[in-house]
Amino acid sequence: MTRKTINNALDIADKNFKKLSIQVSLNGLSFCVTDTVLQKLLFSDSVDFIEEKNPMVVLDELKKKFQEHQLNTMKFDEVVIVHRNTLFGLVPKSLFNADHLLEYLKFNAKVLATDVLSYDIVENHELVNVYVPYMNINNYIYELFGEFTYMHNGTVLLQSLMNNQTQNNETICYVYVNKNQLDITVLDQRKLLLYNSFLYDTKEDFAYYLLFVLEQLELDPKTAVVKLFGSIEEDDPIFQLCFSYIKNISIFAPSSPQLIKLGEPESKSIDFTLINTI
């Protein structure tokens, strides 16, 4: 599933059974620390940026948060980074060649000559997610903690939704809502029809992208099943606008075993993709 660099050489006596999970995007940061034995959330924090920042400024913000919580002085048995951006492309595993990563992205993402490309295997679904990680963040984490795991948020999202789709016999459009970004996943049972991510500024932008996806898949807004989750509620202006076009739309509470392990209500404030890395 991930590009892994886990340190397996630790002796059991040296382990502290603490895991650090971090999600990084140009619109904000979130992270949490968990006790992997007690399956307990120790603490979490997040910050939303007023406007999109560049990766260097995001790194500065991450360093401030680490100093605030003294994370830069702690030791962890496992560290996971989730990179959230729209610089990705899905490739059927049967057609994937790790020597041609740029070929999969150059037509639908703005890739710079200095960008380092990576990929995740979407486990059990014969898909590969090729993407651009924030390497300055990766380098900083490596300097602090040594070996770690990193992945794209789309990988986590797809695996979580597709693995929990066994009970549904209808086509469902899942929309994961975050600050200025929406991820749309359309599943026909466990078959992936579409996954894409869009940046938006207004509720009209949001509705346009959603309706455009339904149109491209020839799904009727009057009957299509659309489930929204993440940073949205029914009284949100975005939901109200979408409801005027899509009648079978609702707020979705995705199931996750980590929600039970961590307990409520603490886990409610943690990003969905971050929860599913714990």
Side-chain angles (χ1 to χ4, degrees):
M1 180 179 88
T2 63
R3 185 62 78 170
K4 290 190 176 181
T5 52
I6 292 290
N7 185 357
N8 292 316
L10 286 174
D11 186 88
I12 189 69
D14 297 324
K15 290 181 174 290
N16 60 18
F17 304 103
K18 289 182 174 58
K19 181 175 182 178
L20 171 63
S21 300
I22 310 163
Q23 179 164 257
V24 180
S25 79
L26 301 185
N27 291 312
L29 299 165
S30 58
F31 57 87
C32 63
V33 175
T34 53
D35 185 313
T36 58
V37 172
L38 299 177
Q39 297 180 329
K40 178 182 179 182
L41 176 68
L42 300 180
F43 70 87
S44 64
D45 198 1
S46 63
V47 56
D48 289 328
F49 306 141
I50 297 176
E51 57 185 19
E52 185 176 277
K53 300 183 181 295
N54 66 57
M56 296 308 298
V57 177
V58 173
L59 176 57
D60 291 338
E61 294 291 337
L62 182 63
K63 289 180 178 179
K64 290 177 185 177
K65 281 294 181 182
F66 271 35
Q67 292 171 359
E68 177 185 338
H69 295 285
Q70 298 182 331
L71 293 175
N72 53 330
T73 64
M74 295 182 183
K75 292 184 178 180
F76 299 97
D77 292 337
E78 188 174 356
V79 177
V80 178
I81 302 178
V82 178
H83 295 276
R84 180 179 177 84
N85 58 38
T86 59
L87 305 174
F88 70 91
L90 293 180
V91 183
K93 193 174 181 179
S94 60
L95 302 177
F96 177 71
N97 186 328
D99 295 328
H100 300 290
L101 298 184
L102 180 60
E103 301 300 315
Y104 302 124
L105 290 186
K106 66 180 183 181
F107 295 114
N108 61 357
K110 186 177 181 180
V111 181
L112 304 177
T114 54
D115 285 336
V116 176
L117 306 185
S118 189
Y119 65 91
D120 300 333
I121 304 298
V122 184
E123 294 177 351
N124 303 320
H125 299 291
E126 298 300 312
L127 289 172
V128 180
N129 187 5
V130 181
Y131 63 98
V132 180
Y134 300 116
M135 288 306 297
N136 62 324
I137 304 291
N138 280 2
N139 292 336
Y140 172 67
I141 296 300
Y142 183 81
E143 290 173 5
L144 281 182
F145 306 115
E147 298 176 334
F148 65 96
T149 300
Y150 67 94
M151 66 190 83
H152 190 263
N153 80 289
T155 306
V156 183
L157 185 63
L158 282 172
Q159 290 185 165
S160 300
L161 291 175
M162 294 170 76
N163 290 341
N164 286 285
Q165 183 70 4
T166 54
Q167 302 301 318
N168 292 313
N169 296 319
E170 56 189 347
T171 299
I172 300 179
C173 176
Y174 295 99
V175 185
Y176 179 45
V177 185
N178 213 305
K179 184 179 185 296
N180 299 119
Q181 185 174 340
L182 68 151
D183 295 274
I184 301 179
T185 307
V186 183
L187 300 177
D188 181 3
Q189 297 185 49
R190 295 185 72 192
K191 179 183 178 182
L192 178 66
L193 301 183
L194 177 141
Y195 171 68
N196 209 343
S197 185
F198 305 92
L199 300 177
Y200 70 95
D201 292 316
T202 67
K203 62 181 185 294
E204 287 80 14
D205 294 339
F206 187 103
Y208 169 80
Y209 288 126
L210 178 53
L211 290 169
F212 177 75
V213 165
L214 295 180
E215 179 186 27
Q216 293 302 302
L217 294 178
E218 299 182 347
L219 296 174
D220 188 349
K222 296 180 181 179
T223 58
V225 179
V226 178
K227 297 185 177 184
L228 277 59
F229 65 107
S231 302
I232 192 164
E233 299 291 344
E234 286 190 359
D235 59 355
D236 192 300
I238 289 177
F239 182 90
Q240 295 300 321
L241 178 60
C242 291
F243 182 72
S244 65
Y245 296 98
I246 305 168
K247 298 308 177 186
N248 199 357
I249 189 171
S250 61
I251 300 297
F252 171 58
S255 61
S256 172
Q258 285 81 2
L259 286 171
I260 300 172
K261 293 178 182 178
L262 292 177
E264 300 285 6
E266 292 88 348
S267 59
K268 286 186 175 180
S269 62
I270 306 176
D271 183 274
F272 172 76
T273 51
L274 199 60
I275 285 177
N276 281 278
T277 66
I278 296 171

